[in-house]
Amino acid sequence: MIVKILDDYEKVSEAAALIVKALMISKPQCILGLATGSTPIGLYQSLVRSCKNGEISFRDVRTFNLDEYVGIDMDHPESYHCFMEKHLFDHVDIPKGSFHVPWTDGDNAERDCERYDRSIFEAGGIDLQILGIGGNGHIAFNEPADFFTEETHITTLDERTIRDNARFFDRMEDVPVKAMTVGMGVIMHARRIVMLATGANKADAVYRMLCGEITPRVPASVLRLHPDAVLFLDREAANRIEKLPFIHKM
Ligand code: PGA
């Protein structure tokens, strides 16, 4: 995993956006794996600006998101469907039907998970996967566990994740406790991974991902085994690792 430290959130967003735009220009029919959360918002803003000025187009791009809450409506303002519309899809030229966000109404979740994996596989797999990292080391909603789960699945969110997500909801009891998430199969088979982490509240997770054991207790640690993964950090998220010898400061 290549690790690059940049000054701040804006520089991290731009560095990641540059990689996405380069791929979209060199491969207009690329398959993007997209993430939600506060971290990638700056990256999406940059993509929207470039799309509006004609530098890039989503016309032939297809996208697959990592995860979605279970138990809230698709049009709930905090659903990841709404998040993606608000921050990206409503502002770019992506055709309806070309973007995919996991969804199950719970009646046949197993079938919905299988279908999601199949649709990614049939699209040819992910060319470039955008990732954030949870404060507990999760990627997508693959929470710390005793083993890695390969397939898309329904998961119960970790207490730390529920606490971290509470800032988006009015009441603690409204915070979803379950989610549908891609597993490690989709993520680790992505041809390229770009991870972003910013802010001091990510410093411990970043340290454990890079310096500890590769273990499902720290799901992001498995990314060290990926052949083409780059991690962009701001100074705060890097504050426990910046003295390590393999780090590139930019
Ligand atoms: P955040 O979430 O970008 O809102 O910090 C990242 C994640 O949980 O993967």
Side-chain angles (χ1 to χ4, degrees):
M1 181 171 223
I2 294 175
V3 184
K4 296 182 189 250
I5 303 176
L6 296 114
D7 281 340
D8 52 30
Y9 179 83
E10 280 67 37
K11 293 215 166 71
V12 165
S13 303
E14 277 310 322
L18 209 59
I19 294 181
V20 181
K21 291 177 209 178
L23 174 68
M24 290 175 67
I25 290 166
S26 64
K27 186 175 180 187
Q29 299 187 337
C30 62
I31 311 292
L32 299 179
L34 300 180
T36 50
S38 22
T39 313
I41 291 177
L43 155 65
Y44 295 147
Q45 286 169 343
S46 176
L47 297 181
V48 168
R49 281 194 299 275
S50 295
C51 190
K52 285 196 193 301
N53 71 23
E55 223 183 303
I56 55 168
S57 168
F58 283 80
R59 235 180 357 257
D60 299 318
V61 171
R62 277 173 292 165
T63 71
F64 291 89
N65 264 78
L66 290 169
D67 44 22
E68 175 59 287
Y69 294 124
V70 171
I72 64 175
D73 290 338
M74 219 184 254
D75 55 8
H76 186 290
E78 293 306 331
S79 79
Y80 289 165
H81 282 76
C82 281
F83 175 100
M84 289 310 300
E85 282 167 9
K86 177 170 163 200
H87 293 290
L88 185 66
F89 300 148
D90 281 352
H91 312 288
V92 297
D93 58 348
I94 191 162
K96 279 237 169 320
S98 292
F99 53 86
H100 309 268
V101 180
W103 182 252
T104 182
D105 59 15
D107 281 352
N108 199 339
E110 205 174 313
R111 179 204 58 198
D112 296 333
C113 289
E114 267 175 40
R115 280 190 184 158
Y116 200 67
D117 276 336
R118 199 166 341 113
S119 56
I120 295 174
F121 178 76
E122 284 168 0
I126 305 291
D127 287 308
L128 174 58
Q129 178 65 59
I130 307 297
L131 284 180
I133 181 172
N136 63 359
H138 75 202
I139 41 177
F141 276 137
N142 291 274
E143 299 286 27
D146 294 336
F147 50 86
F148 290 114
T149 302
E150 188 76 0
E151 306 86 15
T152 294
H153 57 283
I154 305 299
T155 186
T156 301
L157 300 177
D158 194 66
E159 259 175 53
R160 164 91 194 246
T161 303
I162 295 172
R163 251 194 345 263
D164 287 349
N165 291 346
R167 67 192 196 276
F168 300 113
F169 293 84
D170 292 338
R171 301 175 314 165
M172 199 59 201
E173 55 269 38
D174 295 336
V175 187
V177 296
K178 286 197 176 287
M180 176 171 166
T181 180
V182 300
M184 290 301 178
V186 166
I187 295 172
M188 290 303 281
H189 283 96
R191 286 178 269 287
R192 191 161 202 208
I193 292 177
V194 173
M195 176 182 253
L196 302 79
T198 55
N201 62 336
K202 297 295 168 70
D204 284 342
V206 166
Y207 175 76
R208 292 171 69 218
M209 163 173 68
L210 294 175
C211 301
E213 223 187 311
I214 294 176
T215 164
R217 305 299 326 164
V218 185
S221 62
V222 76
L223 297 176
R224 278 152 55 198
L225 301 177
H226 191 281
D228 189 357
V230 56
L231 167 63
F232 291 113
L233 300 172
D234 70 355
R235 297 206 174 280
E236 291 184 337
N239 72 25
R240 290 198 62 192
I241 57 136
E242 60 192 340
K243 298 216 162 46
L244 298 176
F246 56 86
I247 305 296
H248 301 244
K249 300 196 182 73
M250 297 171 79

